[in-house]
Amino acid sequence: MMAMLEIQHVHTYYGNIHALKDISLNIDKGEIVTLIGANGAGKSTTLKTISGLLRPRHGTIQFEGEDLTRYLPHEIVAKGVVQVPEGRRVFGRLTVTENLEMGAFAITDRQVISKNLERVFALFPRLKERRHQVAGTLSGGEQQMLATGRALMANPRVLLMDEPSMGLAPVLVDNIFDTIRQLHADGTTILLVEQNARIALQVASRGYVLQSGVILLNDTAENLRMNEMVRKAYLGES
Amino acid sequence: MSITHSLWKTGLKTGLIGGVVSVLLALIGMVEGFSQRDIINEVISMGHTLLLLVVVFITYLSAKRTTSRTKVLALVNSLVTGIVTGIFLVLLVILGNVVNLRSIFVNASPVLYNIMTFGQGLMNGSLLLLVVAALIGLLTGLVYLLPNLLRRVLVTSLSSVVLAGVVQDLLRPTLAAWGPIAVVSEWIFTANGLSLPGAIVLAVVIAIILLFWSFKGKAIQTGVKNLPSGQQRVLRYIGFSILILVFLILPQVLGLFLSEVLTIVGLYVLLGLGLNIVVGYAGLLDLGYVAFFAIGAYTAAILTSPELGFFHFSFWSALPIAIIMGIISGVILGIPVLKMRGDYLAIATLGFGEIIRILVLSDFLRPWLGGAQGVGKIPKASIGSFEFARPQEIYYLILAGCLLVIFISLRLRDSRLGRAWMAMREDEDVAQAMGINLVATKLLAFATGAGFSALSGAIFASKLSSVYPHSFNVMISINIICLIIVGGMGSIPGVIVGSVALVGLPELLREFAEYRLLVYGAALVVMMLLKPEGLWPAEIRRRELHEGEPKTTEQVLPPEGGLSSNEEGA
């Protein structure tokens, strides 16, 4: 079976800086795959390359048999490859509902939008309570819910999550990852980029370890958790 | 000891600011220049009012800034501020009498000192000045301590009197045309300023109206709200028709000069609404906006002027071509600056504006564009035998343009494209991640704004019957940005209010003309400090700048609500 999202031999440059060196990874339908690595390893670059914000110099990105590198960012969103941006980045001056509606920009069918809105409110009852509140006044955890909900409004076929745990208190991180599990149970395909390798490897089925733009390891989450190198470098165990 | 010391501090510091500001106003000639006109006849001139208003404002600020809660302290502080400001002014008078300051400050004349000392001579006058400043400090401190309602009534009625005095030239001739009101107006106004009894009655009447509204206003509002929706709608239609009627008869009432002012304000409203789309909706800071105004004006000129003799279009057939030229040049400007943001965008667009001005000025293009002499003999617009020639007639042309542009602006704001602009303004990267086509969205913003500007330019060309390169300098762009900021970014009524305040008022107050830029600068600084969201802000700006205040956060969705907007468009 062909993978839903398949990245092959991708090289991405920032000017002369070779940021991604021959990256290959694949994600099957309904799977959670995590990409872990330290700061500057190329995790966010990989996501930006997939969503079309950066163009790879070599390599292909196949999504359900189509080459994504030929499309513009907004066309890629319309195809169902949707990003939850790093650091949440909600529209601070808009209300919660307005933020969510903005997430559905690529969708023109009103009924689909209200159905999605209900679904997001069912997933995050907290957002429903605060639907008229200005997003900038939400707490960090609520903003992460909103950023996730906003991405879900676009009917994602693959959800690209960039560091959802960033800057959140541990209890909120657990909350967010409960949501990710729930999304997985509902059948959403997720590519999860995380610095917090411990928790990422708990929810993911497979993982890739990225270092200096190169994929070092590629294995099931369980094997990665057991891996000597991963334990030392990313899980902080000795 | 240190506590008593810090008691004074606020008053002292604010007083220093007040002193510097009032001395500055005196030295640049504003006080003297304004003294030609009386606010209240034979009682107080505009120059004195200006000087004393600074003291009022600064002492009020001092009372307000007093951090401690004791009332006495606020009073002490505003008194100290008044005295310190007074000392500065007295020092200026004494210094001016001892040393000749005129070699540096041309306005530091004996006339100025005479005005500042109320014509009472050096000794007595200086003392009087100091006492007046101190008294004002004391009184403002007392006003600050008044209960909210009383203070508001007092401040509003007094400032209405000052305002009536300032715009007397507008009010007097206008009211004189209205039979019974003319009698009242004759009584309130003298040839120079309000009459003393007139001013008192005016203040009292306004105070009574305010008091009445504060006690009964709520009841009336809820009364209207409780009416059946049919009647409410009728009421709204009546209000709307009255408004339209007022706009329609306005030039007939106001006469030539004021109609001319109205047409200028109207042209700036048109320009402002266009730039409001670029800056207010889409968040792209465009400083070269005057370029599209020039392109519209020159396109109309080339197509219609017999002086150049290329074409002999009528105004109406040249107008759409001018707008299309504007739109095209908007896109042409947009393409190279697509990747630029913020300050870089501002500088690039500034350059574009200058390029257009220099092109129309150039000798190289002189055979086609007229060079420094410009293009003349541009025909007026006409419908049948009715010609839009005098300001009273051109007014209707501009009014129609404004209504059209307001309508388009409103529809765009609530459309899918408007949503995309909003997202782009809030966060370009995330907007892209939401599936918004940044390139198209940006270019559409530039094109729409440029189209409005070109429309304004074509009307401008026909209004003046001629176009000159120097009409299109960078100051126009700056003025438009200022009026948008003062009015409230992204707000349509804000653009109108801003145009009236920044373009209309200086036209009416000849005294201000010389200090226009200074007043702009001061107005902008004061606005940013006191009301950063603008005079009539758009809902979203209000939210941003008063974040967390319960009233705004609990506000229900705007009626145009997001969901319905997704019906239209692609």
Side-chain angles (χ1 to χ4, degrees):
Chain A
M1 191 190 93
M2 196 176 168
M4 190 175 197
L5 182 68
E6 188 153 9
I7 298 165
Q8 284 182 326
H9 310 295
V10 159
H11 293 259
T12 303
Y13 289 75
Y14 288 108
N16 285 326
I17 299 161
H18 198 168
L20 296 185
K21 298 164 188 157
D22 201 29
I23 299 283
S24 297
L25 54 88
N26 60 70
I27 301 157
D28 289 327
K29 197 167 166 44
E31 208 182 10
I32 299 186
V33 173
T34 183
L35 194 60
I36 56 180
N39 255 343
K43 303 184 303 283
S44 294
T45 310
T46 309
L47 284 194
K48 281 183 182 156
T49 310
I50 297 173
S51 51
L53 297 171
L54 294 171
R55 223 156 257 275
R57 203 171 282 181
H58 307 287
T60 58
I61 301 170
Q62 299 269 331
F63 174 65
E64 296 187 319
E66 270 189 296
D67 187 4
L68 283 189
T69 56
R70 290 185 303 136
Y71 292 101
L72 291 169
H74 67 273
E75 294 167 330
I76 293 174
V77 174
K79 289 190 182 300
V81 181
V82 182
Q83 205 184 129
V84 183
E86 187 180 3
R88 306 184 273 280
R89 305 272 292 260
V90 295
F91 296 114
R93 285 154 42 163
L94 307 191
T95 64
V96 168
T97 314
E98 285 170 329
N99 262 279
L100 292 174
E101 284 164 358
M102 207 63 100
F105 191 85
I107 297 172
T108 42
D109 186 339
R110 236 182 112 181
Q111 282 178 341
V112 176
I113 295 175
S114 44
K115 211 182 77 208
N116 286 359
L117 196 63
E118 269 168 44
R119 184 175 148 226
V120 169
F121 281 153
L123 191 62
F124 302 108
R126 191 62 166 272
L127 292 183
K128 188 170 188 180
E129 283 167 31
R130 315 212 148 195
R131 61 186 179 279
H132 298 312
Q133 191 171 326
V134 176
T137 61
L138 295 175
S139 73
E142 290 162 345
Q143 288 189 5
Q144 184 60 54
M145 290 178 198
L146 181 56
T148 311
R150 189 177 58 186
L152 292 176
M153 290 295 291
N155 277 346
R157 303 176 57 80
V158 175
L159 197 60
L160 310 175
M161 300 188 79
D162 199 349
E163 306 253 7
S165 76
M166 187 200 248
L168 294 183
V171 57
L172 294 174
V173 173
D174 289 343
N175 271 341
I176 283 296
F177 277 84
D178 285 344
T179 315
I180 293 174
R181 281 196 192 93
Q182 197 175 337
L183 289 174
H184 174 60
D186 295 347
T188 315
T189 313
I190 298 173
L191 174 58
L192 174 68
V193 161
E194 259 298 345
Q195 274 198 48
N196 187 340
R198 181 188 307 273
I199 196 153
L201 289 174
Q202 280 169 18
V203 296
S205 54
R206 290 186 302 118
Y208 293 83
V209 177
L210 201 61
Q211 189 182 313
S212 312
V214 179
I215 289 185
L216 276 190
L217 290 168
N218 160 20
D219 212 331
T220 63
E222 198 169 345
N223 285 347
L224 284 178
R225 276 205 301 272
M226 297 301 154
N227 185 297
E228 193 68 21
M229 197 279 288
V230 173
R231 287 170 61 131
K232 272 194 177 154
Y234 299 104
L235 301 179
E237 295 168 13
S238 51
Chain B
M1 262 334 268
S2 69
I3 292 171
T4 43
H5 175 70
S6 65
L7 290 181
W8 291 71
K9 235 171 160 180
T10 314
L12 201 65
K13 272 197 287 194
T14 323
L16 290 178
I17 298 171
V20 170
V21 170
S22 49
V23 165
L24 177 80
L25 287 182
L27 283 181
I28 59 171
M30 272 182 107
V31 171
E32 190 187 333
F34 283 22
S35 291
Q36 312 297 326
R37 209 192 294 203
D38 284 356
I39 293 288
I40 299 172
N41 193 24
E42 306 280 303
V43 178
I44 187 163
S45 78
M46 221 163 110
H48 281 137
T49 312
L50 177 73
L51 202 60
L52 299 182
L53 269 184
V54 173
V55 185
V56 170
F57 187 77
I58 210 79
T59 49
Y60 190 83
L61 199 69
S62 168
K64 206 175 168 183
R65 275 167 65 170
T66 310
T67 36
S68 163
R69 298 236 170 240
T70 44
K71 293 181 170 182
V72 186
L73 204 58
L75 204 59
V76 169
N77 263 329
S78 81
L79 178 64
V80 168
T81 305
I83 293 174
V84 172
T85 311
I87 290 175
F88 264 80
L89 289 170
V90 168
L91 280 180
L92 173 66
V93 173
I94 294 173
L95 188 69
N97 275 296
V98 178
V99 191
N100 183 13
L101 291 175
R102 288 199 86 173
S103 51
I104 306 168
F105 302 104
V106 283
N107 290 304
S109 66
V111 181
L112 172 68
Y113 303 132
N114 196 29
I115 293 165
M116 287 175 70
T117 51
F118 305 94
Q120 302 293 320
L122 180 59
M123 273 308 293
N124 291 341
S126 300
L127 208 62
L128 186 62
L129 182 59
L130 193 59
V131 170
V132 167
L135 259 179
I136 288 177
L138 200 64
L139 285 177
T140 4
L142 284 173
V143 169
Y144 176 74
L145 295 178
L146 282 177
N148 244 332
L149 172 66
L150 269 178
R151 188 177 61 204
R152 215 176 56 226
V153 168
L154 201 66
V155 169
T156 316
S157 61
L158 284 182
S159 36
S160 309
V161 170
V162 172
L163 196 71
V166 170
V167 296
Q168 49 184 291
D169 285 356
L170 167 68
L171 288 176
R172 209 148 46 90
T174 313
L175 294 179
W178 292 79
I181 302 177
V183 183
V184 182
S185 144
E186 278 308 303
W187 185 70
I188 291 180
F189 290 106
T190 66
N192 188 7
L194 290 89
S195 67
L196 185 58
I200 292 168
V201 169
L202 187 66
V204 170
V205 167
I206 285 172
I208 288 171
I209 292 173
L210 277 175
L211 279 173
F212 175 76
W213 183 251
S214 64
F215 288 123
K216 292 278 178 195
K218 266 241 161 67
I220 294 173
Q221 272 176 342
T222 48
V224 169
K225 258 185 205 138
N226 289 337
L227 284 176
S229 65
Q231 282 184 36
Q232 259 190 64
R233 201 175 312 138
V234 169
L235 220 60
R236 208 171 308 142
Y237 280 138
I238 291 174
F240 196 64
S241 335
I242 291 176
L243 198 71
I244 293 282
L245 205 68
V246 166
F247 272 115
L248 282 180
I249 59 168
L250 212 50
Q252 312 305 330
V253 179
L254 292 182
L256 185 77
F257 170 67
L258 291 175
S259 299
E260 170 70 18
V261 173
L262 267 185
T263 57
I264 297 173
V265 172
L267 280 174
Y268 270 95
V269 170
L270 271 179
L271 286 166
L273 287 169
L275 189 59
N276 187 42
I277 288 191
V278 185
V279 177
Y281 288 3
L284 305 162
L285 185 53
D286 181 354
L287 289 184
Y289 188 66
V290 69
F292 309 116
F293 185 52
I295 286 168
Y298 267 91
T299 307
I302 293 167
L303 291 176
T304 60
S305 170
E307 194 177 277
L308 291 172
F310 302 128
F311 307 95
H312 298 284
F313 283 58
S314 73
F315 173 80
W316 296 110
S317 38
L319 185 65
I321 302 178
I323 295 173
I324 290 167
M325 281 299 288
I327 290 173
I328 292 172
S329 41
V331 173
I332 291 175
L333 164 72
I335 290 169
V337 300
L338 272 175
K339 296 263 170 189
M340 295 183 186
R341 294 177 192 188
D343 344 12
Y344 301 99
L345 179 67
I347 292 170
T349 51
L350 186 71
F352 180 73
E354 281 300 281
I355 290 171
I356 297 295
R357 190 179 64 84
I358 290 167
L359 275 183
V360 296
L361 191 61
S362 71
D363 283 336
F364 172 65
L365 292 171
R366 191 185 198 126
W368 299 280
L369 301 176
Q373 261 103 59
V375 183
K377 292 190 187 152
I378 299 167
K380 301 284 185 189
S382 59
I383 299 176
S385 61
F386 181 80
E387 202 177 45
F388 296 93
R390 295 180 307 143
Q392 282 104 316
E393 291 143 10
I394 293 171
Y395 167 87
Y396 291 109
L397 190 61
I398 294 176
L399 182 66
C402 284
L403 290 178
L404 177 74
V405 166
I406 289 173
F407 177 73
I408 297 175
S409 286
L410 279 173
R411 298 298 299 162
L412 280 175
R413 189 191 65 191
D414 300 341
S415 72
R416 202 175 143 72
L417 181 59
R419 296 249 127 192
W421 281 336
M422 181 156 86
M424 190 168 77
R425 178 189 63 206
E426 300 293 312
D427 190 327
E428 237 176 66
D429 302 324
V430 180
Q432 202 168 19
M434 302 290 100
I436 290 167
N437 183 351
L438 277 191
V439 172
T441 311
K442 264 192 192 181
L443 289 183
L444 276 171
F446 278 122
T448 317
F452 289 175
S453 183
L455 166 70
S456 181
I459 298 177
F460 177 73
S462 135
K463 171 179 181 287
L464 288 190
S465 296
S466 53
V467 288
Y468 300 102
H470 66 73
S471 310
F472 306 102
N473 63 34
V474 68
M475 273 317 297
I476 308 261
S477 304
I478 306 281
N479 285 352
I480 303 167
I481 297 257
C482 285
L483 73 88
I484 288 178
I485 293 173
V486 168
M489 283 240 203
S491 150
I492 293 169
V495 169
I496 300 168
V497 172
S499 306
V500 170
L502 286 192
V503 181
L505 283 184
E507 294 287 340
L508 293 179
L509 306 170
R510 285 154 290 143
E511 287 91 343
F512 272 112
E514 205 176 326
Y515 306 101
R516 197 175 187 145
L517 286 177
L518 184 83
V519 174
Y520 274 26
L524 279 182
V525 171
V526 171
M527 284 297 298
M528 289 306 108
L529 288 175
L530 299 182
K531 211 164 160 29
E533 70 273 33
L535 292 173
W536 193 323
E539 168 62 22
I540 189 163
R541 291 276 298 167
R542 208 172 322 173
R543 265 191 228 156
E544 174 200 25
L545 291 157
H546 296 279
E547 221 163 69
E549 286 172 24
K551 199 174 129 222
T552 44
T553 48
E554 271 310 307
Q555 216 125 39
V556 218
L557 270 181
E560 68 268 19
L563 283 177
S564 58
S565 69
N566 286 298
E567 287 173 314
E568 323 156 10

